Amino acid sequence: MNNAGNGARPRSLSVENLEKAYRSGKPVLKGISFQVEGAITLGIIGPSGSGKSTMLRCINRLIEPTAGRIVVAGQDVAGLSGTALRHARRHIGMVFQEFNLVERLSVIENVLCGRLGYISPFKAWLRKYPQEDIDKAFALIDHVGLGDFYNQRADSLSGGQRQRVGIARAVMQEPDIIMADEPTSSLDPKTSVEIMELLRQFSRERDIPMLVNIHDVELAKRFCDRIIGISQGVVVFDGPPGELTTSDLKAIYGGEDWLA
């Protein structure tokens, strides 16, 4: 599964001076900059309202950045629109907090939705996928441990199973980066560990960056190679988990009572 060495596209993300303001003069993101490349799991931590989810939504262009550059696999996606943006977004996989599955469709159909950006709208409407895509979808479903559930409707699955489907759908895009927005927030501790293990595994197997917005600091320290801490729209920590100190956590989250 490893894409390293294909020479086609760099598996990388560069965010340069990213700003987002919903109202003039009140920025949510204030000059965010960082770079990631290859098989790295990047944890993004910070309090609610710090701008973590806004940053991910700017990167995949679900919302428009106010300023800055977002370079995915060598292409600045910040200024793209129309067909060019649609093509660029094929290479950005997204795993959502609330799964965002089509509830009435089966597991295999939901995973195949990861290929919608690669087929014509008419074929997408008919759900006519190449056999190669179908074979890959079955292989991914096996890989995430749902081989016995491929024909079940998404609304019949548990939360952990739904998140596995969401991960398989993102990987099905053959992306250059994958971003996960609070992928464990609605899951029990055991399932949360399994989901983080799965995300890290795909990062390493595919040699692609994995960005994970996560509230659980201990999970971030356990599974991430690097952690970025955001507070009030500014990066206040960027480094390996082993360097994240109590003082850093106070700077990120504010106050001391929550650490007691």
Side-chain angles (χ1 to χ4, degrees), residues 15-23 25-34 49-52 54-55 58 66-68 230-236:
V15 175
E16 303 172 16
N17 298 313
L18 178 63
E19 297 183 7
K20 175 61 183 177
Y22 294 102
R23 290 185 294 168
K26 294 187 177 294
V28 177
L29 300 177
K30 307 169 185 177
I32 298 286
S33 296
F34 64 92
S50 61
K52 304 189 307 297
T54 295
M55 183 180 73
C58 283
T66 302
I230 296 178
S231 179
Q232 299 181 354
V234 176
V235 173
V236 296

Side-chain angles (χ1 to χ4, degrees), residues 70-257:
I70 303 164
V71 182
V72 178
Q75 181 180 33
D76 187 355
V77 303
L80 299 181
S81 60
T83 301
L85 177 58
R86 177 174 176 264
H87 286 170
R89 288 181 68 185
R90 296 186 304 194
H91 301 286
I92 304 173
M94 190 74 190
V95 178
F96 296 90
Q97 178 180 353
E98 299 300 329
F99 318 126
N100 279 30
L101 304 181
V102 183
E103 299 290 345
R104 62 182 176 81
L105 295 185
S106 66
V107 168
I108 184 70
E109 289 173 311
N110 269 283
V111 174
L112 281 167
C113 285
R115 301 303 292 173
L116 288 176
Y118 294 87
I119 62 177
S120 70
F122 181 67
K123 286 186 176 180
W125 181 68
L126 293 175
R127 298 206 288 273
K128 291 284 189 181
Y129 297 95
Q131 187 60 46
E132 180 184 5
D133 288 348
I134 295 171
D135 293 342
K136 287 180 179 179
F138 275 114
L140 276 173
I141 291 169
D142 282 336
H143 196 84
V144 299
L146 295 176
D148 294 333
F149 298 87
Y150 74 92
N151 205 32
Q152 285 195 208
R153 281 173 52 131
D155 57 9
S156 71
L157 303 176
S158 68
Q161 290 169 335
R162 291 186 188 195
Q163 198 58 286
R164 290 173 184 270
V165 176
I167 292 169
R169 178 184 59 191
V171 175
M172 192 69 190
Q173 293 177 225
E174 298 183 355
D176 295 308
I177 63 170
I178 293 179
M179 301 188 297
D181 192 9
E182 301 292 353
T184 65
S185 64
S186 60
L187 305 178
D188 63 74
K190 177 178 180 292
T191 306
S192 296
V193 167
E194 293 171 349
I195 291 301
M196 289 299 295
E197 286 177 338
L198 194 58
L199 290 169
R200 184 172 64 177
Q201 180 183 23
F202 275 121
S203 171
R204 292 176 176 178
E205 288 178 350
R206 302 267 168 158
D207 194 32
I208 58 177
M210 183 77 64
L211 279 66
V212 185
N213 269 0
I214 186 167
H215 274 304
D216 191 322
V217 174
E218 291 307 312
L219 269 184
K221 291 167 68 174
R222 178 175 173 182
F223 288 101
C224 297
D225 305 298
R226 175 180 164 196
I227 291 176
I228 285 178
I230 296 178
S231 179
Q232 299 181 354
V234 176
V235 173
V236 296
F237 176 85
D238 185 350
E243 294 182 6
L244 185 66
T245 67
T246 299
S247 295
D248 293 319
L249 291 173
K250 290 177 183 177
I252 295 167
Y253 291 98
E256 299 185 15
D257 293 345

